[in-house]
């Protein structure tokens, strides 16, 4: 069956009492569904708006709509509904509740927690058509559709000399990262993606569309644990004039013998006990790059700086002095950052390559040099022992934190504002054999445990948006008992049946 343009059915059903039906489109559609014993689908279609589309397994459009960035543990979807207006989301949720079906809202399917694999025979609510960007007349806020991607946000605002915090990847949504915090290049200035929220239109588990703002009981929870409480159909966020459009990068590729000197220099010259300059972001990778070293993984290290055409020598000189094998630099404007970091729409991180990706995130205060060495050595050995894992990386992100730390920690459900480092082994592999998946999980777990033990922290602090799903609520939402109790109480009140309990659930 082709994609079903449900609009015909919706319009006819809504207006049928007043207007003559044109042709027999509605009858034809319902008859076709009925002849297949599929009144269920006809009933659903009849409730949706003209632009909504439905697709089913076996159709090309369904395959495209359900393809995922990480193929491991995908949700089991039996119907894809591409909604066209906010009310469609209300209708799908009510319909699914009436028929006891599970459902999952998605944008570009970059979420990679194993939890979504618990969706069985579910309805996927594809939000992509809700991609509007409207700047308010006073220029202080903009309202975005609930399915808008970071690229839509950046381009839509830039055209009006505005910007706001998004994730760094063009093809990741605004809402997906934002509901769990949302790290991005502008967070040093303005805070996390969620810190920009002014209000959300949210469809809750009872199928009601509610405006959630600072006066609503869910306001605290949707900022940090938002995936637990509903589907965002639109969002109003703070936006800012573009006053510092220029950005520059410097890159340094080192051989593995430089692990100690690189991370000691990052600690000493950039992080400086959690005081990295607001205009600086640093990040690095352990990665196999045979063009630099055919035998062992290398360290790719990047500094990006705002408001300049070339990264200031005071930041680059200490890293040049370490003797990189390859060094490069360049400049441009804010919109170039995704390209420089491999996160533009046509680049590797945006592709759905049919790979499984296991991420093992951890929030840290500082690099422990001995632990960095141990992680590198373990990674190096594993790549040699199991070549099927050798596309894996270890990612070390060091954003500036001023804007994040200007927001009181207790004011939202996001629990890790003190941490300037987000690190994550990312284990990629092709075949989904249980043995390889076990090896991937063991490797990532061991790498994370080395870093955790060296950190001296009492609890693992795991960024919910990178989590693999093998962790638990205290690791995703903070170990403080008041946080856990508050979230569990709200969850019981607003989602007692666990309709939104696939993406790293609080309960
Ligand atoms: C290549 C790559 C780059 C990334 N870069 C960043 C980054 O720079 N900063 C950062 O913080 N994170 C980043 N992430 C992590 C990202 O935050 C998560 O993967 C997030 O889940 C992606 O959201 P999505 O909407 O794009 O993906 P989806 O898989 O479409 O959605 C993820 C989940 O969000 C929920 N959801 C989706 N839409 C809605 C909605 N409208 N209302 C309510 N719930 C909804 C659902 O539970 C869904 O399972 C990156 C991930 C990848 C793979």
């Amino acid at each position: 069956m082709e994609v079903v343009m449900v609009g015909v059915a919706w319009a006819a059903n809504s207006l049928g009492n007043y207007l003559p039906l044109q042709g027999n489109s509605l009858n034809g559609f319902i008859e076709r569904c009925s002849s297949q014993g599929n009144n269920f689908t006809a009933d659903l279609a009849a409730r949706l708006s003209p632009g909504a589309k439905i697709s089913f397994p076996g159709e090309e459009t369904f395959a495209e709509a359900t393809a995922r960035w990480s193929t491991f543990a995908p949700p089991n979807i039996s119907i894809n509904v591409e909604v066209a207006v906010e009310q469609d989301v209300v209708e799908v949720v009510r319909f699914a509740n009436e028929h006891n079906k599970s459902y999952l809202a998605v944008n570009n399917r970059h979420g990679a927690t194993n939890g979504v694999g618990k969706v069985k025979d579910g309805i996927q609510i594809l939000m992509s058509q809700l991609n509007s960007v409207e700047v308010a007349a006073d220029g202080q806020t903009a309202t975005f559709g609930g399915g808008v991607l970071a690229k839509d946000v950046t381009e839509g605002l830039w055209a009006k000399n505005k910007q706001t915090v998004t994730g760094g990847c063009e093809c990741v949504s605004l809402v997906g990262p934002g509901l769990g915090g949302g790290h991005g290049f502008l967070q040093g200035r303005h805070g996390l993606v969620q810190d920009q929220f002014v209000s959300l239109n949210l469809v809750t588990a009872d199928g009601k569309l509610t405006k959630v703002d600072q006066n609503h009981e869910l306001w605290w929870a949707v900022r940090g644990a938002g995936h637990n409480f509903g589907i965002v159909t639109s969002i109003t966020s703070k936006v800012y004039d573009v006053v510092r459009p220029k950005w520059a990068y410097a890159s340094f590729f080192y051989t593995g013998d430089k692990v100690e000197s690189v991370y000691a220099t990052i600690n000493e010259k950039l992080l400086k006990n959690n005081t990295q300059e607001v205009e600086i972001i640093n990040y690095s990778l352990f990665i196999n790059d045979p063009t630099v070293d055919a035998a062992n993984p290398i360290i790719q290290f990047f500094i990006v700086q705002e408001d300049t055409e070339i990264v200031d020598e005071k930041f680059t000189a200490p890293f040049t002095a370490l003797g990189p094998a390859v060094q490069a630099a360049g400049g441009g404007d804010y919109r170039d950052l995704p390209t420089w970091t491999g996160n533009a729409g046509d680049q590797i991180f945006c592709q759905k390559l049919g790979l499984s990706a296991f991420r093992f995130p951890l929030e840290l205060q500082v690099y422990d040099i001995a632990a960095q060495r141990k992680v590198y050595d373990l990674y190096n050995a594993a790549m040699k022992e199991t070549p099927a894992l050798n596309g894996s990386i270890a990612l070390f992100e060091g954003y500036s934190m001023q804007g994040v730390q200007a927001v009181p920690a207790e004011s939202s459900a996001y629990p890790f504002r003190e941490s300037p480092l987000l690190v994550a082994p990312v284990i990629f592999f092709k075949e989904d054999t249980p043995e390889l998946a076990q090896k991937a999980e063991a490797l990532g777990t061991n790498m994370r445990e080395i870093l955790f033990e060296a950190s001296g922290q009492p609890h693992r602090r795991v960024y919910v948006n990178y989590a693999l799903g093998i962790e638990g609520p205290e690791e995703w939402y903070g170990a403080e008992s008041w946080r856990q109790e508050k979230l569990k109480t709200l969850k019981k009140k607003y989602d007692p049946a666990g309709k939104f309990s696939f993406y790293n659930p609080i309960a």
Side-chain angles (χ1 to χ4, degrees):
M1 196 192 292
E2 293 294 317
V3 169
V4 178
M5 291 296 295
V6 295
V8 178
W10 174 83
N13 195 48
S14 305
L15 305 176
N17 291 337
Y18 311 102
L19 297 174
L21 276 175
Q22 299 205 339
N24 64 353
S25 304
L26 172 63
N27 294 340
F29 174 73
I30 292 177
E31 274 166 20
R32 202 162 68 243
C33 290
S34 300
S35 69
Q36 295 164 359
N38 203 349
N39 288 329
F40 175 86
T41 309
D43 288 349
L44 171 60
R47 290 160 75 154
L48 301 177
S49 72
K53 300 170 191 169
I54 298 180
S55 60
F56 300 93
E59 297 171 9
E60 199 177 316
T61 46
F62 181 90
E64 275 167 29
T66 54
R68 300 186 65 80
W69 180 76
S70 171
T71 55
F72 193 82
N76 175 266
I77 302 295
S78 49
I79 306 176
N80 174 59
V81 181
E82 186 181 332
V83 293
V85 297
E86 293 187 69
Q87 184 63 23
D88 285 339
V89 180
V90 172
E91 296 299 339
V92 179
V93 166
R94 288 182 183 168
F95 180 86
N97 287 345
E98 287 159 20
H99 292 83
N100 202 22
K101 296 274 279 184
S102 56
Y103 42 89
L104 184 72
V106 297
N107 304 298
N108 209 8
R109 285 91 64 212
H110 271 52
T113 168
N114 292 348
V116 296
K118 293 190 179 134
V119 175
K120 300 292 173 217
D121 187 25
I123 301 177
Q124 175 174 282
I125 305 175
L126 181 60
M127 304 291 289
S128 317
Q129 286 196 60
L130 302 183
N131 61 356
S132 55
V133 177
E134 286 170 27
V135 178
D138 67 4
Q140 303 295 303
T141 61
T143 297
F144 304 101
V148 75
L149 301 186
K151 185 179 172 68
D152 304 324
V153 173
T154 299
E155 289 189 347
L157 294 181
W158 196 268
K160 301 196 167 163
N161 196 38
K162 296 283 178 188
Q163 59 186 174
T164 193
V165 186
T166 69
C169 183
E170 285 189 343
C171 51
V172 164
S173 72
L174 184 68
V175 167
L179 292 177
H183 291 287
F185 300 116
L186 293 176
Q187 71 169 52
R189 295 279 172 203
H190 307 301
L192 300 166
V193 173
Q194 67 166 46
D195 298 333
Q196 315 317 312
F197 294 175
V198 175
S199 67
L200 312 174
N201 274 1
L202 190 73
V203 179
T204 42
D206 54 7
K208 290 193 181 134
L209 181 60
T210 308
K211 182 175 175 180
V212 176
D213 62 12
Q214 60 179 352
N215 301 315
H216 196 286
E217 192 182 19
L218 280 177
W219 183 236
W220 178 85
V222 292
R223 294 167 303 138
H227 307 92
N228 280 277
F229 293 101
I231 301 175
V232 176
T233 55
S234 64
I235 185 163
T236 298
S237 283
K238 294 179 213 160
V239 298
Y240 307 91
D241 291 338
V242 180
V243 289
R244 300 177 197 87
K246 289 181 194 163
W247 284 76
Y249 75 90
S251 63
F252 308 81
F253 293 0
Y254 301 97
T255 47
D257 55 308
K258 301 277 201 283
V259 166
E260 287 83 355
S261 56
V262 168
Y263 287 94
T265 307
I266 296 173
N267 278 346
E268 188 191 334
K269 302 292 183 187
L270 296 180
L271 297 181
K272 294 174 294 189
N273 196 22
N274 213 341
T275 62
Q276 180 168 286
E277 281 79 355
V278 67
E279 70 271 23
I280 290 290
I281 295 162
N282 82 82
Y283 63 95
S284 56
L285 309 167
F286 295 161
I287 188 168
N288 285 299
D289 183 348
T291 63
V292 179
D293 186 337
N296 296 302
I298 67 159
I299 309 156
Q300 292 185 348
F301 172 63
F302 303 84
I303 304 175
V304 293
Q305 184 177 359
E306 186 191 38
D307 203 19
T308 182
E309 283 166 12
I310 182 162
V311 178
D312 196 324
E313 204 186 339
K314 85 172 176 189
F315 299 117
T316 57
F319 295 95
T320 304
L322 300 180
V326 180
Q327 191 167 352
D333 71 37
Y334 175 74
R335 295 166 300 168
D336 296 315
L337 285 163
T339 302
W340 297 339
T341 56
N343 282 294
D346 57 355
Q347 288 179 306
I348 185 91
F349 286 128
C350 277
Q351 308 312 311
K352 301 193 177 86
L353 300 170
L355 296 175
S356 293
F358 285 5
R359 282 177 299 199
F360 299 84
L362 197 63
E363 307 268 350
L364 294 174
Q365 298 307 110
V366 66
Y367 289 116
D368 182 282
I369 306 306
Q372 291 298 112
R373 165 55 62 194
K374 275 193 205 164
V375 168
Y376 175 90
D377 287 346
L378 175 60
Y379 166 71
N380 190 6
M383 297 304 103
K384 293 187 165 79
E385 187 196 306
T386 313
L389 300 179
N390 73 9
S392 304
I393 59 174
L395 180 60
F396 304 95
E397 300 178 71
Y399 293 98
S400 48
M401 295 299 291
Q402 288 79 351
V404 180
Q405 291 172 351
V407 177
E410 66 283 3
S411 68
S412 78
Y414 179 77
F416 305 131
R417 288 183 189 273
E418 71 277 25
S419 301
L421 292 175
L422 171 57
V423 307
V426 189
I427 313 300
F428 290 106
F429 55 102
K430 179 80 180 163
E431 306 91 353
D432 276 351
T433 63
E435 295 74 26
L436 197 54
Q438 273 166 17
K439 275 195 175 177
E441 186 173 332
L443 173 61
T445 299
N446 290 339
M447 289 167 77
R448 176 160 63 183
E449 284 308 290
I450 290 169
L451 297 168
F452 171 60
E453 279 168 22
S455 75
Q457 294 170 4
H459 308 282
R460 276 174 216 82
R461 297 181 298 164
V462 171
Y463 182 40
V464 68
N465 285 322
Y466 282 12
L468 180 56
I470 58 173
E471 310 87 353
E474 295 185 354
E475 291 163 315
W476 302 320
Y477 300 112
E480 300 96 321
S481 55
W482 69 268
R483 286 188 182 276
Q484 292 292 317
E485 279 159 27
K486 191 165 178 170
L487 281 172
K488 286 192 173 110
T489 303
L490 288 166
K491 182 77 172 170
K492 204 168 170 188
K493 178 168 175 186
Y494 286 93
D495 185 20
K499 299 288 183 186
F500 300 107
S501 289
F502 299 111
Y503 190 95
N504 303 330
I506 182 69

